[in-house]
Amino acid sequence: MTDSISEIICEEDAFIERFRPIVNHINPNASFDFGYGGCMFETYGKEFEHVRQQNPDCIWTLIEEDGVLFAGSGLRLVNRLGYFVSRTPVEGGETLNFCFEGDAPEEPDEG
């Protein structure tokens, strides 16, 4: 398990409300319909090129790791399933991860 898993902080609804992912205008059948249209962009072709042209602080990578599906801020290449582009950028270079499916790992007990 990597350090990124321990940084998962919220759930899908919090991600949608705070960052407002945009609808994939390239593919009308895009995955991850958050109630207003499919928002996931693919990892190749025109969709990936579109993602790469966006503000880096508005790019999110959909990742599955150890049975946990989450969106992590930034353009990542390892374990990527797709991308989201948000209307609201991540502030101050923060690294955020929002859990979508599975159980976010619990923090280890101290003491």
Side-chain angles (χ1 to χ4, degrees), residues 5 9 13 23 27-28 48 51 70 87 100:
I5 287 290
I9 59 171
D13 292 341
V23 172
N27 179 359
F48 183 57
V51 169
F70 64 96
R87 295 182 196 283
F100 284 6

Side-chain angles (χ1 to χ4, degrees), residues 52-110:
R52 291 182 51 174
Q53 294 171 3
Q54 305 309 302
N55 175 348
D57 293 333
C58 292
I59 298 173
W60 296 81
T61 305
L62 180 65
I63 298 170
E64 188 280 325
E65 190 174 289
D66 296 333
V68 177
L69 185 64
F70 64 96
S73 59
L75 187 127
R76 305 178 191 185
L77 301 177
V78 177
N79 296 334
R80 66 188 177 159
L81 299 175
Y83 296 99
F84 301 110
V85 177
S86 63
R87 295 182 196 283
T88 305
V90 173
E91 295 179 14
E94 274 186 295
T95 299
L96 300 174
N97 297 298
F98 287 85
C99 185
F100 284 6
E101 287 181 9
D103 294 324
E106 294 181 19
E107 294 293 323
D109 290 334
E110 293 184 27

Side-chain angles (χ1 to χ4, degrees), residues 19-57:
F19 291 100
R20 304 174 13 219
I22 65 168
V23 172
N24 179 339
H25 63 284
I26 299 168
N27 179 359
N29 298 312
S31 299
F32 282 85
D33 183 335
F34 293 130
Y36 52 88
C39 294
M40 189 181 88
F41 290 85
E42 291 293 344
T43 60
Y44 56 88
K46 290 181 182 180
E47 293 180 47
F48 183 57
E49 287 305 314
H50 174 73
V51 169
R52 291 182 51 174
Q53 294 171 3
Q54 305 309 302
N55 175 348
D57 293 333

